[in-house]
Amino acid sequence: MAPHENYDEGMEHRITNQEAFAVETRERLARIEATLVTKTEFYEAISSLRAEMHKGFADTIKWVIGMSLGIAMAGITVMTFVLNNATPKTAPAQPAPVVIYLPAPLTPPSATSR
């Protein structure tokens, strides 16, 4: 078959180059797709990350609450100690002495009082 009058001889060479480029591109794309993460793997990774974050937040909250309670208890203990020992202790007042009054001795009736 005779080539058409508008036939370009360089076109065959360009088409051959394009077909070789397509084969090379297909191979590169296959390698890239092999290394890509699938949706399922992505969701599994995200869900495991969420679980780890949730555990970390729970642990942090437990530590914060525990430390807050510990600090509060230590503060109350210090305040109690300071308030109990802030003022000097005074010795207890001496009780009033017990005074026992003896009755006046009985005198025998005298001769004058008769």
Side-chain angles (χ1 to χ4, degrees), residues 80-89:
T80 302
F81 178 77
V82 167
L83 291 176
N84 283 338
N85 296 316
T87 58
K89 303 286 185 205

Side-chain angles (χ1 to χ4, degrees), residues 91-102:
Q94 291 289 331
V98 178
V99 179
I100 301 174
Y101 291 102
L102 295 176

Side-chain angles (χ1 to χ4, degrees), residues 7-101:
Y7 183 74
D8 184 9
E9 291 289 329
M11 182 62 80
E12 283 293 325
H13 178 65
R14 288 189 296 209
I15 289 176
T16 305
N17 285 342
Q18 287 294 324
E19 288 173 348
F21 179 73
V23 170
E24 180 185 340
T25 304
R26 190 176 306 120
E27 291 171 357
R28 288 178 60 200
L29 182 60
R31 285 194 307 266
I32 291 171
E33 286 176 343
T35 59
L36 285 178
V37 177
T38 62
K39 259 186 168 178
T40 306
E41 292 171 342
F42 178 73
Y43 287 135
E44 287 173 359
I46 292 295
S47 66
S48 69
L49 177 64
R50 287 178 57 135
E52 290 176 21
M53 288 179 66
H54 179 71
K55 183 183 178 301
F57 291 149
D59 289 344
T60 301
I61 290 171
K62 286 178 193 175
W63 272 98
V64 167
I65 290 173
M67 292 301 287
S68 299
L69 290 175
I71 290 171
M73 291 175 66
I76 290 172
T77 303
V78 167
M79 285 190 305
T80 302
F81 178 77
V82 167
L83 291 176
N84 283 338
N85 296 316
T87 58
K89 303 286 185 205
T90 57
Q94 291 289 331
V98 178
V99 179
I100 301 174
Y101 291 102

